[in-house]
Amino acid sequence: MLNFIGLGLYDEKDISVKGLETIKNADKVYLEFYTSHLFGTDIKKMEQFYGKKIHVLKREDVEQHPDWIDEAKEKNIVFLTGGDSMVATTHVDLRIRAIDKGIKTSVIHGASIASAVCGLTGLQNYRFSKSTTIPFPYTTGRGKTIVSEVPYDTIKSNFEQGLHTLVYLDIDMDKGYMSINKGLEILQGIDKKRRENFINDKIAVGVARAGSYNPVIKADYISSLIDFEFGSPLHILAIPGPLHFIEAEALVKLADGPEQILD
């Protein structure tokens, strides 16, 4: 059996009781932290709390050479991820690979940032459309810097349809964890390059360290939010479409948003 268990958002105690019981009954426990990360804990604390040795996997161990799943043909194996394990396409692919090998699988869900953002900001879940990720710019072998404009197009398209966009921020082994400020800077750069004047007068909501006892939630016009200090990772960004009056009130009262959005 291969058990996919979502760990939740912030520390080792975010896991469900069902997830914890499954870990304690497992023969072996694997973990990947490259799609997300729990900043309120570390491997040592997790091992102490779960009572199991944790084997950390690299990206290539999950996406390219997941030979370790063969152990689940004979043993009870657990695969741990941050958030909810089935939100990432990579993990769906891994489950399909296991099924194709005749391995039984199970999923034990954890809290997801996709729903946590709605709870923390008051933005209504059903009004979110296609999400997007802002990747770090990269430099080609010829020295040209490439900036993906896909996130900008997704945000603009959603907005024009009256819908919100959840914007994930890149995690890179070398460049680290993208901040809300860096993500907004990239969007501003695209906006300036294209001369569309779409971004700066829009409201955005930044969320830092969701799942902790003291998350930071701040809404403001992008031109001002870009200078707000959100502190340490993880960060995520939401850019709403036109607001329902309850959403506008929520952003003022829950996310310290400007009262002008109530007009």
Side-chain angles (χ1 to χ4, degrees), residues 120-121 217 246-259 261-262:
L120 290 170
T121 65
I217 307 101
I246 293 178
E247 292 178 308
E249 183 177 3
L251 290 184
V252 171
K253 295 181 177 178
L254 301 179
D256 191 30
E259 294 196 0
I261 65 175
L262 296 173

Side-chain angles (χ1 to χ4, degrees), residues 32-45:
E32 72 87 348
F33 259 175
Y34 68 84
T35 55
S36 186
H37 196 90
L38 303 187
F39 273 84
T41 191
D42 55 37
I43 300 299
K44 183 177 180 181
K45 289 179 182 177

Side-chain angles (χ1 to χ4, degrees), residues 17-258:
V17 174
K18 186 184 293 184
L20 182 58
E21 289 175 346
T22 302
I23 291 173
K24 290 184 178 295
N25 291 324
D27 295 311
K28 198 168 185 179
V29 179
Y30 289 99
L31 163 75
E32 72 87 348
F33 259 175
Y34 68 84
T35 55
S36 186
H37 196 90
L38 303 187
F39 273 84
T41 191
D42 55 37
I43 300 299
K44 183 177 180 181
K45 289 179 182 177
M46 293 170 69
E47 289 180 333
Q48 290 175 341
F49 187 72
Y50 302 152
K52 288 285 184 177
K53 170 71 176 175
I54 294 175
H55 302 268
V56 181
L57 298 169
K58 298 178 181 178
R59 181 184 289 268
E60 54 266 31
D61 297 326
V62 178
E63 297 182 0
Q64 299 173 27
H65 308 292
D67 302 329
W68 53 274
I69 66 173
D70 289 335
E71 298 175 42
K73 292 178 180 178
E74 305 292 338
K75 297 180 179 180
N76 191 21
I77 304 298
V78 160
F79 176 62
L80 303 176
T81 63
D84 186 293
S85 60
M86 284 299 126
V87 170
T89 306
T90 295
H91 305 149
V92 177
D93 176 69
L94 190 63
R95 190 182 185 198
I96 291 172
R97 290 192 192 204
I99 291 171
D100 287 344
K101 289 174 175 280
I103 298 169
K104 292 182 178 180
T105 66
S106 74
V107 179
I108 299 174
H109 298 283
S112 168
I113 191 63
S115 57
V117 165
C118 298
L120 290 170
T121 65
L123 294 174
Q124 296 167 1
N125 179 65
Y126 72 92
R127 298 195 64 217
F128 276 84
S129 187
K130 180 182 178 181
S131 60
T132 190
T133 300
I134 301 177
F136 282 107
Y138 69 94
T139 303
T140 67
R142 296 184 177 183
K144 183 179 180 180
T145 299
I146 303 297
V147 177
S148 172
E149 298 186 9
V150 172
Y152 183 96
D153 290 329
T154 300
I155 293 164
K156 187 175 181 183
S157 175
N158 288 346
F159 188 90
E160 289 171 347
Q161 297 176 67
L163 300 171
H164 309 329
T165 307
L166 185 63
V167 184
Y168 295 93
L169 302 169
D170 200 5
I171 297 174
D172 184 274
M173 291 184 63
D174 298 319
K175 298 176 182 177
Y177 301 88
M178 184 182 289
S179 67
I180 292 163
N181 315 82
K182 180 63 177 178
L184 292 176
E185 178 187 314
I186 290 171
L187 292 176
Q188 280 188 334
I190 298 169
D191 195 57
K192 184 176 180 181
K193 172 189 171 185
R194 290 164 54 158
R195 300 180 181 178
E196 296 196 18
N197 298 318
F198 168 73
I199 283 293
N200 280 334
D201 65 346
K202 299 298 183 292
I203 287 285
V205 194
V207 176
R209 297 172 300 286
S212 70
Y213 287 111
N214 296 293
V216 172
I217 307 101
K218 176 62 179 175
D220 208 338
Y221 294 100
I222 289 176
S223 56
S224 298
L225 192 66
I226 195 169
D227 295 321
F228 187 82
E229 178 52 60
F230 284 93
S232 58
L234 283 173
H235 293 183
I236 195 163
L237 180 65
I239 299 184
L243 296 166
H244 184 277
F245 70 90
I246 293 178
E247 292 178 308
E249 183 177 3
L251 290 184
V252 171
K253 295 181 177 178
L254 301 179
D256 191 30

